Amino acid sequence: MSSRDHMLGLMAKNQPALLPLEETKLEVISYKDPVRQFAETLTAIGGKAIMVKDFSEIKMRIREEFDTTKRIVTTIPEFSDLAEMFSASVLPHSFENTELTLLHTDFAVAENGAVWITEDIMGQRILPFICQHLAVIVYADNILPTMQEAYERIASRRYGFGSFIAGPSKTADIEQALVLGAHGPRTMTVFTLNV
Amino acid sequence: MATREPGDHAAFAEKFNRDEARVNWHDETLWTVRKRRDLRAGQLPEWEALRSKASMIKDHTLSNLHDYWVQFEKNAIANGARVHWAADATEHNIIVHDILKTNGVAKMVKSKSMLTEECHLNEYLQDNGIDVVDSDLGERILQLADERPTHIVMPSIHIKKEEIGELFHQHLGTPKGMSDPQFLTETARHHLRDVFLTRSAALTGVNFAIAETGEFVVCTNEGNADMGAHLADVHIASVGIEKIIPQRKHLGVFLRLLARSATGQFITTYSSHFSVPRKGKEIHIVIVDNGRSRQLAREDFRNALKCIKCGACMNTCPVYRRSGGYSYNYTISGPIGSILAPNLDMADHKDLPFASTLCGSCTNVCPVKIDIHQQLYKWRQVIVAEGHAENKKKLAMKAMSGILSSPSLFKMAAKGFSWVSGILPVAVKNKFNAWYHQREMPEVKKETFTAWYKRNHKE
Ligand code: SF4
């Protein structure tokens, strides 16, 4: 017998009688001002939230906050004057010297400061991870209160890869001392577009 | 350190307890994490409802495990992943090695996976000429130190920064005496970036496998799973059969609980959902049993399989905090390790269910509501009944049974009412409870255990 059949056979034999999967929806926390809650949470986890009114303000802030003489990569055509458009065909390793990756997100989550980014808006999967700094643009009305609403939004959409990203990469593996910039970005900035 | 050292929990705990300052430091560090967990839990009015829901989903899943794995396999294959089945650790290791051989890979990068620790994969691959680098900072530290994890979430929690500084000095060329965490982390970042960029295979663990979609989710703070997987040609994901959940939307329950319970974060920095391999690349999913289906058959113990490996029960456990992860002498330490290990080998791990005060704090914090302390108690009975216990443990168990059989007394004990400290420690701190020897506790009663026991239990 194959291990597959053997293992599945044991599961079938050893699992208890079927217990119900109750579908009741949880009543979850709500925030008076999810946009503000998101900004507060993101700040608390080491990220930076910046309110902006349009793309030109984002460009201005990027010039202020980041070293634009270094490599900036984006998937958003509107920023091609400031940044290099990503390429889907190059080796992911070639993004190793990326200073800043600029992406947009479908939505963000107020309770934990996370943004949801799928492969189609990531360009290459490595982009939000390999850069020294990550910046993400979200529309204010796409800030959802909790992960419950987040998965309602994702629903049954298909993606090859998707990730909730909450703040800069971090570690506390040395005596629980928090250090930002473990393997991924050292900073994370979220531009919230209030239109 | 693949092989187990001889000795029982009490003996290892006694060793750990010789360095009082270190014990206090270990204790306080973990208690800080526990308090952060409380803070986060308290911020959500629905916290208890979330725990109940998570528990219900897991109970249901375990009762339909066969169908969910069939469904997962079908969907994962449709996504383009390859699915392998491993009945035990040996088969898991052989499968991983075969995948590497087929792809001509001699060097692999790995992110944190307690399952591969359980299978002793690193040792196996190294014996077969494969170079494996652990990329989680804590695990990399342990690899350099040639040690095993002592905690499932914070693997190197027992090591002091000066010791890490010395390891890095020896292996990574940092200046002698340098122990600044920021500096050491930066060094590791550079060192491991070179590793990520030069490995064509990456192995990750799996936090959740989703039957409905065939995708799996990997949670890290460092981003090491993503750095490894998105640069490699071959991504191997090892998953225990207990890690499945029915639907994607259930992540909206579990991801709210996991990091809050584990470290007091709102969520881990990265919760990455892997579905379809990159074009021309491979994802291999290795599904592992290794004793889990046996636990599934044990009615009293099966719900330990609901565990999402948050580590909250360890951080809160007064015995774990003061005896250290190594005292359990098993891959998974603390209360959860103590109820998982006897399932694998009862005689070998017979000491673990006794490494507890049965205070119930683990059960109170568990995000999926596993009745941990009750299982510890039941394991003691099984172990005694099967003749594995020594006499002193039988006596200690009798005392605990006294406390447990009196619901009001036990409830007070679990809640930590102050007057109980006049009773519980007597039961705990007695010559029968060997792990307790070097523990500093206020003397509460000049009464022998036997006298107390007789007075309280007129049989
Ligand atoms: S038993 Fe519960 S508290 Fe302990 S690690 Fe598992 S899920 Fe977390």
Side-chain angles (χ1 to χ4, degrees), chain A residues 80-155:
Chain A
S80 54
D81 54 337
L82 187 83
E84 153 195 344
M85 281 302 286
F86 87 103
S87 158
S89 56
V90 299
L91 269 182
H93 305 70
S94 65
F95 293 108
E96 207 282 309
N97 59 353
T98 301
E99 177 73 2
L100 172 68
T101 293
L102 174 67
L103 303 170
H104 68 90
T105 174
D106 286 341
F107 65 84
V109 184
E111 70 161 328
N112 56 23
V115 301
W116 170 246
I117 309 183
T118 43
E119 184 166 29
D120 52 331
I121 53 178
M122 223 174 253
Q124 287 224 20
R125 293 182 190 185
I126 196 66
L127 271 176
F129 303 98
I130 203 168
C131 50
Q132 298 295 321
H133 304 276
L134 175 64
V136 179
I137 303 171
V138 63
Y139 283 93
D141 55 0
N142 284 331
I143 294 179
L144 311 173
T146 79
M147 294 297 278
Q148 181 163 300
E149 291 85 0
Y151 280 101
E152 279 166 15
R153 173 75 74 93
I154 297 172

Side-chain angles (χ1 to χ4, degrees), chain B residues 152-153 258 261 304 306-314 332 335-336 339 362-363 365-370 372:
Chain B
I152 57 178
V153 174
L258 179 59
S261 301
K306 288 154 72 179
C307 177
I308 57 171
K309 304 278 153 55
C310 73
C313 57
M314 311 166 75
I332 298 174
I336 180 65
I339 57 176
C362 46
T363 304
V365 297
C366 177
V368 289
K369 291 194 155 185
I370 300 172
I372 308 169

Side-chain angles (χ1 to χ4, degrees), chain B residues 72 143 161 204 226 241 250 252 355 381 399:
Chain B
F72 176 88
Q143 208 178 19
K161 60 176 192 266
T204 70
D226 289 283
I241 58 168
H250 295 146
Q381 293 174 303

